[in-house]
Amino acid sequence: MIIFSGGTGTPKLLNGLRELIPEEEITVVVNTAEDIWMSGNLICPDIDTVLYLLSGRLDSTRWWGIKDDTYRTHEVMRTLGHNEFMMLGDLDRATHIMRSDLIRSGMTLTEAITHLCHSFGVRAKVLPMSNDPVSSIISTAEGKMHFQDFWVRKHGEPDVLEVYQEGIENASITPAVLEALENEEEVLIGPSNPITSIGPIIELPGMRNILKNKKVIAVSPIIGTEAVSGPAAKLMAAREIEVSSHGVASYYSDFLNHMLLDKRDTANDNRFVDLNCGISRADTLMKSVSVSSNLSRHILEQFRIM
């Protein structure tokens, strides 16, 4: 199975899915449009969350970073006048240094991540969506800024005028992702931000056409008119996409086969008829591994009957 991942929602789902499927049979295609160079190293937040989850290193209380990490390097750098607005842990920074060194030695991002997977003992395939630079840019009244500036430095507070992926038109799907898509029929889009987590993956040139020939299930990151977490609602509104599960399904509608809504969602089921996709409901608030596993079991059943 192929899973499109970004943020923290999809890794939570992946945490349950791996209870039901051998990790060797899982391929995770991960958003890279939130990657950023900082303090001389390439930070890949969405990729690293998946790597740390699958290797048992993830701080599962925050769903980012490494558990029991320390921040001495970050703190000393601040005392020396270096303003590193992302709080990077010492153990986490080692991953960034190693990845950046591999890339500087001539590896592609895919090759560097594969190397890290082997080093961490990760058995699933973790694949960056592209080896080419793509950045989610947020246009605000304060000016244009990288997603990390908007979300981490500015805490998502500025009013959003526009959201776009800089470099997407010149980026390519990696050969490894193309091979995975050629060999797999089922694609699961996790409950991540459709604009800046999943959007960059599906907006890569050619990706939507490939997905039209796949069985695609998406899990909504919206309940009612609110995002489960993160700035999805604010960014969807800026794109003039209705902040609802129906709005998410509409954005995916040219390739979507089935939309999975939360059982508490107030969306009208009849609205989905025109989108030609099936719908079902389950508990998508994954507050425990058992809830994640139950949700994964529901998804696997939907794939079987498609």
Side-chain angles (χ1 to χ4, degrees), residues 109-125:
L109 179 58
T110 297
E111 290 168 339
I113 298 307
T114 299
H115 186 100
L116 286 170
C117 282
H118 291 321
S119 298
F120 287 165
V122 172
R123 302 191 304 277
K125 287 184 180 178

Side-chain angles (χ1 to χ4, degrees), residues 39-266:
S39 304
N41 296 304
L42 179 61
I43 317 300
C44 301
D46 290 350
I47 290 174
D48 289 347
T49 296
V50 174
L51 290 179
Y52 297 155
L53 168 67
L54 296 176
S55 63
R57 292 168 168 80
L58 182 67
D59 183 342
S60 57
T61 60
R62 301 182 300 182
W63 281 89
W64 58 269
I66 296 177
K67 59 187 175 185
D68 301 323
D69 209 343
T70 54
Y71 298 88
R72 296 189 64 184
T73 302
H74 176 82
E75 292 161 0
V76 170
M77 290 173 73
R78 289 189 67 178
T79 65
L80 296 174
H82 182 72
N83 184 22
E84 190 177 67
F85 71 85
M86 295 181 77
M87 190 172 178
L88 304 177
D90 299 320
L91 302 177
D92 186 31
R93 193 184 302 271
T95 301
H96 309 324
I97 292 171
M98 184 173 179
R99 171 172 46 235
S100 304
D101 193 46
L102 291 170
I103 290 172
R104 281 188 283 262
S105 73
M107 283 191 182
T108 64
L109 179 58
T110 297
E111 290 168 339
I113 298 307
T114 299
H115 186 100
L116 286 170
C117 282
H118 291 321
S119 298
F120 287 165
V122 172
R123 302 191 304 277
K125 287 184 180 178
V126 180
L127 303 176
M129 68 180 201
S130 181
N131 291 320
D132 303 310
V134 178
S135 297
S136 285
I137 302 298
I138 315 297
S139 180
T140 75
E142 300 178 23
K144 296 179 181 179
M145 59 187 74
H146 190 279
F147 176 84
Q148 299 298 348
D149 284 294
F150 168 76
W151 186 238
V152 180
R153 190 199 296 268
K154 298 287 187 177
H155 310 293
E157 294 173 357
D159 291 336
V160 178
L161 306 177
E162 183 185 5
V163 187
Y164 63 95
Q165 274 72 46
E166 186 175 77
I168 193 76
E169 65 279 357
N170 296 317
S172 299
I173 306 169
T174 70
V177 172
L178 286 172
E179 181 181 3
L181 287 165
E182 184 176 339
N183 294 328
E184 292 286 345
E185 186 180 25
E186 300 173 346
V187 177
L188 172 61
I189 296 178
S192 297
N193 186 324
I195 307 302
T196 53
S197 293
I198 302 300
I201 305 175
I202 65 175
E203 297 300 344
L204 284 168
M207 182 63 83
R208 283 182 177 269
N209 283 333
I210 292 173
L211 293 176
K212 289 176 183 178
N213 298 310
K214 302 297 176 183
K215 293 180 179 179
V216 182
I217 292 178
V219 181
S220 178
I222 306 292
I223 299 178
T225 59
E226 300 289 335
V228 173
S229 64
K234 199 170 192 176
L235 301 183
M236 288 175 68
R239 282 272 185 92
E240 298 185 343
I241 297 174
E242 179 184 299
V243 182
S244 67
S245 293
H246 184 270
V248 177
S250 297
Y251 180 49
Y252 299 156
S253 63
D254 55 329
F255 57 77
L256 183 64
N257 299 113
H258 189 93
M259 188 73 175
L260 204 159
L261 284 63
D262 186 81
K263 64 182 183 181
R264 291 159 283 251
D265 200 321
T266 56

